[in-house]
Structure formats: C-alpha cells, structure tokens
C-alpha cells in the first residue's frame, strides 16, 4: 500500500483501523526516501532507531495523533546521538549529547524521527544553495530550488516522502520554501515553541514550526510542539490552546487586511492574478477585505539585515574548534586555531553575515546601525499593532514568484535577500504567520501568506483550513492532483 | 568599506579571507551596507529600541542545581581532550 502524499490525519486513520502498522509505514518511508535520493533532501537518516521505535510503540497505548507517524527533522535541531550539522562543514561531525525540547516533545508524543533534512548553512539562505551538503532539488522541476532555509523539509513533504517535517523561520525559512514547494507551513508567535536545543542564528527572530500538506496537519503538529520550557527564558508561559479544536469554524464576517504599501506592480502578473483569485474565494466564504497601512514596512528588509547578522555574529562565535565540531589541523597557536577552524568551517554566505554583524556592532557604528535598526523594528511592530485593531488577519502573497532555477539569482546577495520581502516583517514583530498553496504559475506552485495577531495561531489555522476545505491547491502534487 | 576595514572586521570575527574571495566579499559588504543605509533617513527620535518581540522580563526559577555533571559526555565530543580538560595549543610559554 503506497503511503506517498498521505497526510498525518490519513495515516492516523490507517493506523487506527489497523490497515497498516507503524513499522510498515516507516519501512515504506525509507523506500520512498531511497527512490527519491536525487532530491538530496536528507543529510542523515535515522533508519535503525526509527524502525526499532516503530516496533516498540506498536503495542503501547496511543499517546497522540502523531503516535507512530514518521516525521523529518530539520538538521538545525539537536538530536541526541544523531548527527546534527546545521548544513555546515564546521558541525559535519557533531553528535549532540541531548535533544532539543521540540524534538523531545514530538518524540514523547510518539512520532518517529526518520532523519535530518538538508538546509541552507546555519539557516542563512533562501534557496538551499548554501548547504555544505549540496543543494536540494524541488520535486516540481529538475533545476528548481526548493527555497530555504528549510528546503530539505519542504522538498521531502512536497515529494510525499513524509507527511510532515519540522522547520525553523528567522526571516521566512518555513514560509518561503512552503510556497515554492506547494505545501503548508507555519511560523508560530515568537516564544510559542522552545528554542532550547535549536542551533541559534538570530535569537530574537528564530522560531520553530511545522511544515505539512495541510493546515489541519500543521495544527496536529503544533499541538505537540508547543510547551513552556524553563530552559528557554524567552519561552512563553501562556496556555497552549488545542489547535485542532474548532478548526472547522466559519470565517463569515472575518476581517482580512490587505497592506496598502505592498507594491503588487513589482510582481509577475500571474502572481497577482492568483492572489486576486484567492481574495475572491475568501469573499465567497464570507470574509471582508479592508485596506491597512503599514507605513514602515518597506524598511523591514534593511532592518533585518542589520539585526539578524548582528545576532548571528555573536551566536556563531561559539564555533571555535575547541569543544566540539571541526578543528583545523596543526595550528601554531590558539589564535590560529580559531581563525583557521572558522575559515575552513564556514561557507561564504555565513562569513558574509558574520562580517556584516561584526561591522554593525563595532565601536562607532553600533548606534548608527544596530540601535537604529531596533528602533525601526519598533516602528514596524507599532504599525502591526495599529493594523490589528482593524482586522483579524493580514493577507499577502508569500513570495514574489514561484520557484526559480538553481544559480539564477546570480552572485548578488541582495537579490536573494529580497526573496523574503513579504515574510521578514512577521519575524521582526514576532507575529505568527503561515503559507498555504493558493495557485500555480507556469506549472509551479505558489503560496498565500496569512499573518495573525500575537498568539493567534488558531485564527490563521482556521482561515487556512476554510480555504483548503473548499479548494484543491494543497492536493496538487508533482505527479498530479491527489484524490481527497 | 575598503580593504583595510574588511581586514579589521575579519580579524574581529576571527576569519581569514583568501585572495579568491576577498574582493568579492568586500564589494558584497559594500553593497549590503549601502542597502541598509536606507535606515539613515528614518526619524526615530524618542523611539525606544525593540530588542525582542516579547519585551517581558525573563522569568526566574528557584536557584537549584538541576544539571547533572556530564563531563565525560561533553569531553568525548571535543576534537582534543584529556580526562578533565579541553586541550588547545599552549597559550603560556
């Protein structure tokens, strides 16, 4: 029985009716991964332990909807005794002695971690081309990038190898690849999911989240991923709602904000018409559109490229070849040990960002760059606060276009940075946001972004679910439309 | 952004650029800094910096030792160690 392209909810009912066993699902998953090896979606597989767990839990009471379900984990989360590289040469031999809280939460819920997915090095990239382990292919086309940084997770879900995967999102790293691969992905409110055991990139922006075929599956994942964690001082202690409950609620009367300052004239006409179609569809479901103004939104990308590199240069100072990871051979002294190890271990994009960070934090420049960017960050957050007084959610395209070809962004890093134009604002403001498939452009999928108010994941999941109940964009696969 | 500035920030970052990528990285950094210079024109008078979206005081916990000593587990992952220490090239002559 093929399990390719099945959702968590579908696999759950197959398991509950004993149509298939968890061991069979896991074995079938590895067969699919093997057959689709050319995607390069995984860096490390966890085959022996995964099969052992599938046998072990077969006769234990079902703990959650994820019990016995195979999940792929982004290689940015520490996994106990399973290699964790963060897509980098500097961690290519690192085997963590502990697991991230979010991994523990998922595994305690009964999910089976089948492997670690490929990603842009240290999550710095929007095409998966910066991975030390090679680029990932988008299953929708031979030379297409899957987006990034969670490109391996997006590709694995889009190819139907696993029903869901974990991702992380610092400036769009869940939503942009979800859009380019035709899947659904959610970045929760900053602080909803513990960052303990996540390899840090930009600590005030990083947030883990689910990537799956449907909003319903994202809700199932989120139920298990969120928790208050005393080990992360930024972990929220607010109650975690049941995200799958009331998912079917009507969106009649819902107020959706359209951002006046998002300049649609710069997008492909096809992307604009897909977006307009989605607006019409939401209107037919009873939603109302209201224009909102976010006057400082155009400053999001420049503010981000000060804040994120500053935090990255500080976070990545821990990789020095002393306690773990790669160490350069035969350094003549301690300083050379640091310099050679880091120069050999990091790729060009990571080096670029560390250098920008060191520059904007250096004496004499701190106020002009770092402090200023954080002040602008507050202006952007204030804009969102005012907008959410008028609307329930804010809607935009997730990306400027569909998946692009490998190498096509050339060598200008700013062109790649602008990939995250629509996604970065939610990270700066700490707001929950998701991407769901809403159309095709030149036979390639594209996504719709929904941004929610603080802690309002439940609302955006309901709004996405109502769309998926009445459209079939999320059922499209590279092999044709799936029967629901 | 000139070569001297780049050499200085590279040293602060404990990175060495090689001759193949030095020029490219210098011009990339120049372009990126020009790009973020858009922030110059914004009036941020009396605006407090936002360092974290949460703006909450970190929660404290009771001051109890909860971590177990797992010295061996951590030392065995080091590129070079002995029974008690991470080993690095000699610092004091």
């Amino acid at each position: 029985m093929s399990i390719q392209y099945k959702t968590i909810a579908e696999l759950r009912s197959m398991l509950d009716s004993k149509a298939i066993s968890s061991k069979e699902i896991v074995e079938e998953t590895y067969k699919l991964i093997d057959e689709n090896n050319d995607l390069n979606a995984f860096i490390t597989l966890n085959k022996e332990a995964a099969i052992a767990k599938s046998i072990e839990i077969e006769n234990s009471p079902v703990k959650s909807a994820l019990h016995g379900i195979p999940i792929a984990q982004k290689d940015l989360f520490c996994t106990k005794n399973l290699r964790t590289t963060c897509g980098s040469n500097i961690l290519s031999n690192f085997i963590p002695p502990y697991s991230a809280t979010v991994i523990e939460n998922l595994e305690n819920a009964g999910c089976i971690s089948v492997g670690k997915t490929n990603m842009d090095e240290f999550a710095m990239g929007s095409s998966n081309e910066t991975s030390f382990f090679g680029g990932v292919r988008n299953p929708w086309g031979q030379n297409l990038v899957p987006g990034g940084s969670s490109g391996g997770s997006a590709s694995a879900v889009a190819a139907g190898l696993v029903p869901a995967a974990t991702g992380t999102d610092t400036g769009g790293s869940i939503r942009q690849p979800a859009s380019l691969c035709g899947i659904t992905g959610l970045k929760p409110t900053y602080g909803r999911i513990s960052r303990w055991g996540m390899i840090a990139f930009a600590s005030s922006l990083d947030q883990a989240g689910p990537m799956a075929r449907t909003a319903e599956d994202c809700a199932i994942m989120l139920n298990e991923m969120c928790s208050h964690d005393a080990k992360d001082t930024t972990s929220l202690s607010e109650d975690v709602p049941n995200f799958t409950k009331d998912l079917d609620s009507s969106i009649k009367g819902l107020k959706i904000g359209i951002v006046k300052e998002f300049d649609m004239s710069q997008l492909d006409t096809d992307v604009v018409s897909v977006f307009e179609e989605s607006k019409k569809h939401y209107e037919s479901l009873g939603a109302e559109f209201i224009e909102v103004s976010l006057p400082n939104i155009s400053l999001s990308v420049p503010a981000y490229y000060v804040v994120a590199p500053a935090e990255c240069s500080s976070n990545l100072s821990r990789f020095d070849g002393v306690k773990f990871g790669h160490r350069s051979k035969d350094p003549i002294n301690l300083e050379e040990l640091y310099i050679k190890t880091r120069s050999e271990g990091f790729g060009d994009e990571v080096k670029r960002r560390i250098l920008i960070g060191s520059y904007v934090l250096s004496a004499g420049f701190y106020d002009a760059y770092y402090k200023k960017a954080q002040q602008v960050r507050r202006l952007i957050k204030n804009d969102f606060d005012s907008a959410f007084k008028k609307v329930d959610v804010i809607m935009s395209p997730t990306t400027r276009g569909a998946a692009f070809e490998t190498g096509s962004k050339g060598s200008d890093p700013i062109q790649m940075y602008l990939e995250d134009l629509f996604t970065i604002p939610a990270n700066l403001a700490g707001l929950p946001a998701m991407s769901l498939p809403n159309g095709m452009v030149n036979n390639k999928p594209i996504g719709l972004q929904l941004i929610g108010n603080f802690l309002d994941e439940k609302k955006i999941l309901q709004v996405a679910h109502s769309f998926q109940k009445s459209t079939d964009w999320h059922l499209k696969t590279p092999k044709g439309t799936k029967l629901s | 952004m000139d070569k001297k500035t780049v050499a200085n920030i590279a040293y602060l970052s404990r990175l060495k650029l090689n001759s193949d990528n030095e020029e490219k990285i210098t011009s990339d950094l120049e372009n990126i800094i020009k790009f973020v210079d858009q922030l110059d024109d914004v009036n941020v008078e009396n605006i407090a910096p936002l360092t974290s979206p949460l703006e909450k005081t970190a929660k404290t916990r009771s001051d109890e030792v909860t971590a177990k000593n797992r010295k061996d587990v951590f030392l065995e992952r080091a590129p070079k160690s002995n029974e008690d220490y991470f080993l690095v090239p000699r610092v004091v002559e």
Side-chain angles (χ1 to χ4, degrees), chain A residues 5 39-42 72-75 116-119 126-128 136-140 145-168 172-185 209-213 403 435 445 476 478:
Chain A
Y5 304 117
L39 295 174
N40 199 26
F42 287 86
Q73 312 287 11
K74 184 175 184 181
D75 206 19
K116 306 295 291 291
T117 56
N118 203 341
M119 54 181 282
S126 305
S127 64
N128 223 114
V136 172
R137 187 167 77 73
N138 185 326
W140 289 90
V145 303
S149 68
S150 312
S153 289
S155 175
V157 174
L161 315 182
V162 283
T166 51
T168 64
S173 283
I174 287 175
R175 290 160 287 158
Q176 186 257 9
S179 173
L180 268 44
C181 288
I183 64 165
T184 308
M211 303 175 82
R213 307 198 68 82
S435 178
K476 303 237 179 269

Side-chain angles (χ1 to χ4, degrees), chain A residues 332-334, chain B residues 88-93:
Chain A
I332 51 165
N333 56 35
L334 186 59
Chain B
V88 294
R90 180 184 292 274
V91 177
V92 182
E93 295 299 331

Side-chain angles (χ1 to χ4, degrees), chain A residues 289-348:
Chain A
F289 283 90
I290 295 171
E291 188 177 80
V292 292
S293 176
L294 303 173
N296 297 288
I297 200 84
S298 67
L299 300 168
S300 298
V301 183
Y304 177 88
Y305 276 97
V306 173
V307 173
E311 295 183 9
C312 128
S313 76
S314 169
N315 273 322
L316 270 60
S317 63
R318 63 169 61 88
F319 302 103
D320 58 7
V322 174
K323 301 187 193 74
F324 52 83
H326 170 76
R327 175 186 285 202
S328 179
K329 280 203 174 71
D330 306 321
I332 51 165
N333 56 35
L334 186 59
E335 181 144 88
E336 195 188 271
L337 165 75
Y338 298 148
I339 294 175
K340 279 181 76 178
T341 296
R342 290 164 62 79
S343 303
E344 290 164 9
F346 294 135
D348 279 352

Side-chain angles (χ1 to χ4, degrees), chain A residues 80-81 94-98 190-191 204 228 230 233-234 236-238 296 298-299 301-303 305-306 311 321-325 327 331-335 337-339 342-343 346 348 351-352 354-356 358-360 362 368-369 371-379 381 411-414 417-418 427-430 454, chain B residues 1-2 5-18 20-22 24-61 66 70 73-81 85-91 93:
Chain A
K80 190 176 178 178
N81 298 331
F94 177 56
I95 298 176
Y98 61 91
Y190 179 81
S204 78
H228 171 67
T233 54
T234 61
L236 291 165
S237 47
E238 272 75 0
N296 297 288
S298 67
L299 300 168
V301 183
Y305 276 97
V306 173
E311 295 183 9
V322 174
K323 301 187 193 74
F324 52 83
R327 175 186 285 202
I332 51 165
N333 56 35
L334 186 59
E335 181 144 88
L337 165 75
Y338 298 148
I339 294 175
R342 290 164 62 79
S343 303
F346 294 135
D348 279 352
K351 284 180 187 157
R352 244 190 312 267
I354 292 173
L355 293 170
I356 303 166
S358 298
Y359 181 75
V360 299
S362 58
Y369 289 105
K371 188 178 168 204
K372 183 102 190 217
Q374 289 187 319
Q375 288 170 308
V376 170
R377 189 176 181 184
R378 181 176 301 278
L379 293 177
K381 183 180 178 289
S411 59
D412 177 9
I414 293 169
Y417 298 171
L418 289 169
N427 298 83
L428 290 172
F454 201 69
Chain B
M1 184 75 62
D2 50 25
T5 314
V6 174
N8 181 40
I9 57 173
Y11 177 69
L12 291 174
S13 313
R14 297 298 185 270
L15 287 172
K16 189 169 168 31
L17 304 178
N18 55 41
D20 312 343
N21 62 10
E22 195 182 2
K24 165 88 173 91
I25 287 197
T26 305
S27 77
D28 285 348
L29 293 181
E30 200 171 347
N31 290 334
I32 294 164
I33 293 300
K34 259 188 217 153
F35 176 73
V36 304
D37 276 343
Q38 293 175 58
L39 300 175
D40 273 356
D41 305 330
V42 191
N43 180 5
V44 289
E45 216 181 305
N46 301 323
I47 301 292
L50 180 69
T51 51
S52 158
L54 296 182
E55 295 198 275
K56 285 185 177 171
T57 311
K59 273 188 128 182
T60 54
R61 57 178 168 78
T66 52
R70 299 168 69 200
V73 176
F74 286 93
L75 283 174
E76 76 186 19
R77 280 154 173 88
K80 234 177 181 178
S81 62
Y85 297 103
F86 297 109
L87 297 182
V88 294
R90 180 184 292 274
V91 177
E93 295 299 331

Side-chain angles (χ1 to χ4, degrees), chain A residues 199-218:
Chain A
I199 296 170
F201 160 14
S203 305
S204 78
L205 302 159
D206 296 343
Q207 184 60 200
M211 303 175 82
R213 307 198 68 82
T214 63
E216 184 188 15
D217 277 3
C218 284

